[in-house]
Amino acid sequence: MKGNEALAEAAVRAGCKCYFGYPITPQTEISAYMAKRMPRCGGVFLQAESEIAAVNMVYGAAASGVRAMTSSSSPGISLKSEGISYIAGCDLPCVIVNVQRGGPGLGGIQPSQSDYYLATKAAGHGDFFMLVYAPSSVQEMADLASRAFDDADKYRMPAMILSDGLLGQMMEPVSFKDHENPPDNKEWACVGHKNKRPHNVINSLYLKPEELEASNIERFKKYDIVKKELHLAEEYLTEDADIIVTGYGAAARIARSAVNGARAEGIKAGLIRPITLWPFPEQAYAKAADTAKVFLDVEFSMGQMVDDIRLATSCRRPVRFFGRTGGVIPTTAEVLEQIRRIAKEELK
Amino acid sequence: MIKRITVITGHYGSGKSTFAANYAIAAAAEGRKDVAVCDMDTVNPYFRTADLRDIFSENGVRLIAPMYAGTNLDTPILDYDIPSLYEEGLSMVIDMGGDDTGAYPLGKFGDFLKSHGQETDVLYVVNFRRYLTRDPADSAEIMRDIEKACGLGITGIVNNTNLGAETDRDIISEGAALAEELSRISGVPVFCNTVPTLCCRDVKVDKMFHVERLIADPFSK
């Protein structure tokens, strides 16, 4: 399957009942797939009049307790920012998919990873975070989409799948795991109750400063719990590594090939691949910094994850960076050349 | 034997462009000097045949693609037409976009293609390992949608069943059996069964056509 299709199918199997979208390359296959699939499983597919409309439809569906999703690509996600902030302000679960393309502005349509800041730090106005997952294969497009729905419900917060055009468009074999039916006990949801209980209120407006502050403090207490419970990373050949190469998503697959190449030349390289980007898996980096001498971050961007690695390692080791942007994909040979240069100049 | 006009249709992601390119290159390898691939995909600007420009020129295949394909002005337009290319003496392999949506532009040349029916193959590429075309009945439905959209009858089934690098002998033979079933349901003959050279070079099957993977995996480069 294509990555976009695998993600859409996994969402349906995870109990997603409402999909609202607006076309944009390179994520349109998600909408096209949902248009065919949703009517067959009793769900709702709706092509909204804009990205802004689509995210607000997700807001409404989520408020009624239904598993809901929208998807777009970079410029479209910027448009959804306001709605995402409202959803976070109301503590509603939903899944937002970003199949990243080059930016800023209208940018290009080729794969990119330049929305890391947007996803992990600035998804919209206000004090809030989203869960952010970074799939690295078509199989993970499916697995993490499924997991994102469960975690979003568990923590009552929006979750983003941060993919890119390469993963969305490429085809790989995929298998689907059985997914338990989502729990149907959202006691906070706005559904009809015939006056048998007090009204549920879904709202992000607090005109009294103390009330707004209290809601923010409450939300950040939840974030502390999430940070403790949810930090996923894959570690590969890190135990004896002098150089830790790191990257997420598609970049991590290129980095892994380069690590294998370096090992074949006798350079002790390893890989850390963050799977959750928020919460950032600081533990894996902190541990690696005890023994590794230098980090090399590889991204399809100008280096948006570098600061998080520095923070996770308390700046104990230098963090070097190699990236290509605008839709240009770094090659394994280019990354291997960086590893060789670091080994020569910095490992003495 | 390649006809003057070969139209390649199918579900998106079924391997139309890869088949179109391989089919044209194989004809050129047999000494044909008049082979051209026409990129008529007006749906998905990712992985269009125009991206294979260099491979075509190395193999003596002419590429006909909209002038602005792959540029900032890459819009769903056609700046060439089939009758004039036919007059030029080219043998065309026309690569359409996916599904019925991708087949629409062909309608523009419907009268011409119908009047040259003897010289035209309209092929339907199917991969039974694709999620939405796993069984012959689903595939037959998409086939009928495509016929309705372009106004032409499909004349042959290209069974391109594969699972990428994981394709094996069983997947190939299972695909061939499903293609026979699709042929029985639809009344359209099987044109060929593809075998990927990447992993199944030694596998033998009826009406075999070898397909080379032309777009490299970015993780191993």
Side-chain angles (χ1 to χ4, degrees), chain B residues 29-194:
Chain B
E30 284 172 13
R32 294 284 291 258
K33 305 266 182 249
D34 60 338
V35 183
V37 168
C38 304
D39 182 344
M40 211 184 267
D41 189 342
T42 53
V43 180
N44 190 347
Y46 261 73
F47 308 134
R48 52 192 309 167
T49 31
D51 297 338
L52 303 174
R53 192 176 294 275
D54 294 344
I55 294 174
F56 289 137
S57 80
E58 282 162 26
N59 287 280
V61 171
R62 206 169 131 186
L63 171 68
I64 311 286
M67 185 173 167
Y68 297 112
T71 73
N72 273 1
L73 294 174
D74 194 345
T75 45
I77 53 156
L78 293 177
D79 58 2
Y80 59 87
D81 71 283
I82 301 299
S84 4
L85 295 172
Y86 180 87
E87 290 305 322
E88 275 184 49
L90 292 177
S91 291
M92 292 164 271
V93 179
I94 305 171
D95 185 25
M96 304 305 299
D99 287 351
D100 47 344
T101 317
Y104 274 116
L106 211 53
K108 178 176 171 177
F109 309 112
D111 290 342
F112 177 83
L113 293 171
K114 274 179 205 153
S115 64
H116 292 76
Q118 291 298 319
E119 299 167 286
T120 305
D121 276 328
V122 183
L123 303 181
Y124 173 72
V125 180
V126 60
N127 177 355
F128 290 104
R129 285 290 177 137
R130 291 278 291 144
Y131 200 78
L132 292 179
T133 55
R134 279 177 303 178
D135 68 69
D138 291 337
S139 300
E141 197 179 315
I142 292 177
M143 193 195 261
R144 280 190 291 270
D145 290 344
I146 288 172
E147 287 182 325
K148 261 184 256 164
C150 68
L152 296 168
I154 307 276
T155 62
I157 295 162
V158 173
N159 166 38
N160 189 43
T161 299
N162 74 87
L163 202 55
E166 291 180 24
T167 314
D168 59 19
R169 190 178 303 271
D170 292 345
I171 290 172
I172 300 277
S173 59
E174 177 196 288
L178 290 167
E180 282 304 326
E181 174 68 9
L182 173 61
S183 173
R184 201 183 52 74
I185 298 174
S186 62
V188 175
V190 174
F191 183 80
C192 66
N193 292 298
T194 68

Side-chain angles (χ1 to χ4, degrees), chain A residues 5 9 13 33 109 257 332, chain B residues 12-13 46 130-131 219 221:
Chain A
E5 299 167 335
E9 178 61 27
R13 286 169 182 246
Y33 192 89
I109 60 169
S257 300
T332 301
Chain B
Y12 67 91
Y46 261 73
R130 291 278 291 144
Y131 200 78
F219 311 126
K221 258 189 288 193

